[in-house]
Amino acid sequence: MNTVLLQYAVEVEKTGSITQAAGNLYMDQPNLSKAIKTLEESLGAPIFKRTPKGVVPTARGRIFLEYARNVLAQLEEMEALYKPAKAGGVEFALSMPRASYISYAFSLFVKRIDRKEGMNLWLRETNSADTLRDVDRGEYKLGIIRYKPSAEAYYAKQAAECGLKTELLLEYDERLLMSQAHPLALADHIEPGDLLPYIEITHGDGSTSGHREFKAADSPPANRIYIFERGTQMGLLHENSDTYMWVSPMPPPVLRQHGLTERPCADGNHRYRDVLVYRNGYKMGKWERLFLEELEQVKAGLMGKI
């Protein structure tokens, strides 16, 4: 079977569009459609079906594409054996939730890369569904998903259906992140009701934790500021001593850098799991292993908070 046709099919799956895939492959849309049709005829079954939202794999097509991606990955590994090592070969891609302990480990990982080698690093902060899709399509080699323990069965099933392996990274109770000048910063015990006079900062797109998925039309029972990227939260928390935010455990250096503190809260509804996902059979390279080493070191510094 022509491996070029496999590449065409995988690109169509990734984009969900014959037109977009043709553009990415620098070819005409009719020629790509003809190539996909030729491939389907050789298999004796359709790989894709058209929907109002684009093209999606059929049930058989999904299985075929799974094999196609594996074949292409193996070919790439075989070719790499005969290619000389070259500068600029550091490739790393991670899809993850918004979590300062993970991004801090990523920063330490970057420090360990020799600048002379060059690098192409990708770090995407998004929700669990998108992360599963990122890794399933091969766009990211590693992913980290976040969910409550009660959703374990659902996410285990979703990962299995995508052909992904899962490993528990961290299970924890979310903490309250606030300015060192916050009225509750030195409180030994905080109840949910104690938070009512203050302003909660939360991500408006629901990319971190399920209980924070609110829309502008909702009428939440408390004062909230909705943000859509993580950088803003540090400045808001530091400059506004009446704000707080629910977060995963924070590395001490990050707290010191921004003049913040974190406190536990007597609310049993904030238990979460962060889980590593990657394709079944994928052998991690040097850079994935190096990142996970840094992540383990950062986690070790959080153990007293979990």
Side-chain angles (χ1 to χ4, degrees):
M1 183 177 291
N2 190 334
T3 57
V4 173
L5 295 180
L6 299 184
Q7 294 173 336
Y8 290 172
V10 169
E11 187 65 27
V12 170
E13 180 201 21
K14 182 170 72 174
T15 61
S17 164
I18 295 285
T19 302
Q20 182 61 52
N24 293 350
L25 294 166
Y26 301 100
M27 62 189 298
D28 294 332
Q29 186 267 343
N31 289 335
L32 179 56
S33 294
K34 183 178 179 180
I36 295 298
K37 184 176 180 180
T38 298
L39 179 59
E40 291 177 326
E41 289 175 349
S42 70
L43 294 172
I47 301 172
F48 298 103
K49 59 182 177 181
R50 287 172 171 76
T51 73
K53 295 183 178 181
V55 294
V56 297
T58 62
R60 285 189 176 186
R62 188 177 184 85
I63 297 172
F64 169 79
L65 290 163
E66 173 77 18
Y67 281 107
R69 286 191 297 268
N70 288 334
V71 167
L72 294 172
Q74 290 174 6
L75 287 173
E76 186 178 337
E77 290 178 6
M78 290 172 61
E79 292 173 356
L81 292 174
Y82 296 94
K83 291 181 180 178
K86 56 183 179 181
V90 181
E91 298 283 342
F92 179 86
L94 173 68
S95 183
M96 55 173 275
R98 294 189 178 107
S100 292
Y101 83 92
I102 302 175
S103 60
Y104 181 63
F106 179 80
S107 298
L108 298 178
F109 159 68
V110 173
K111 283 186 178 181
R112 294 182 62 179
I113 299 175
D114 187 343
R115 298 309 193 259
K116 295 179 181 178
E117 297 199 46
M119 64 184 78
N120 284 297
L121 311 181
W122 300 80
L123 186 68
R124 183 188 188 204
E125 295 184 340
T126 187
N127 57 56
S128 295
D130 283 349
T131 290
L132 289 173
R133 191 177 303 113
D134 289 342
V135 181
D136 178 32
R137 292 178 174 177
E139 297 173 0
Y140 289 77
K141 300 299 184 183
L142 296 183
I144 298 173
I145 60 176
R146 171 172 294 172
Y147 53 81
K148 292 185 176 182
S150 58
E152 175 70 34
Y154 171 80
Y155 281 100
K157 180 180 178 182
Q158 293 296 308
E161 290 179 351
C162 294
L164 305 182
K165 185 175 181 180
T166 60
E167 293 182 13
L168 179 64
L169 282 177
L170 192 68
E171 182 167 342
Y172 58 90
D173 290 315
E174 281 190 316
R175 314 276 290 182
L176 293 168
L177 183 65
M178 59 187 67
S179 165
Q180 293 177 355
H182 194 285
L184 298 178
L186 299 178
D188 293 328
H189 184 81
I190 299 176
E191 295 284 346
D194 298 331
L195 300 172
L196 291 177
Y198 306 109
I199 302 171
E200 180 185 5
I201 298 172
T202 188
H203 291 289
D205 55 5
S207 294
T208 303
S209 302
H211 66 285
R212 291 290 168 256
E213 294 182 7
F214 293 100
K215 299 179 180 179
D218 293 339
S219 298
N223 297 315
R224 288 191 175 91
I225 299 174
Y226 296 94
I227 60 175
F228 292 84
E229 51 82 31
R230 190 159 47 85
T232 302
Q233 73 189 48
M234 300 301 186
L236 281 172
L237 290 164
H238 178 74
E239 297 297 334
N240 299 273
S241 60
D242 59 345
T243 62
Y244 69 92
M245 189 171 193
W246 290 99
V247 296
S248 53
M250 300 280 289
V254 176
L255 293 174
R256 291 194 296 269
Q257 178 185 2
H258 297 283
L260 302 176
T261 188
E262 60 177 42
R263 308 299 299 165
C265 180
D267 185 345
N269 194 37
H270 292 268
R271 188 84 175 164
Y272 282 88
R273 289 175 180 165
D274 285 355
V275 176
L276 180 71
V277 295
Y278 54 92
R279 297 190 65 79
N280 276 321
Y282 177 66
K283 295 182 180 179
M284 293 188 194
K286 171 183 177 181
W287 305 111
E288 287 92 352
R289 294 195 299 271
L290 187 61
F291 166 73
L292 291 175
E293 286 177 10
E294 292 295 343
L295 187 56
E296 285 299 318
Q297 291 295 320
V298 172
K299 281 169 49 183
L302 302 177
M303 286 301 105
K305 302 180 180 182
I306 301 173

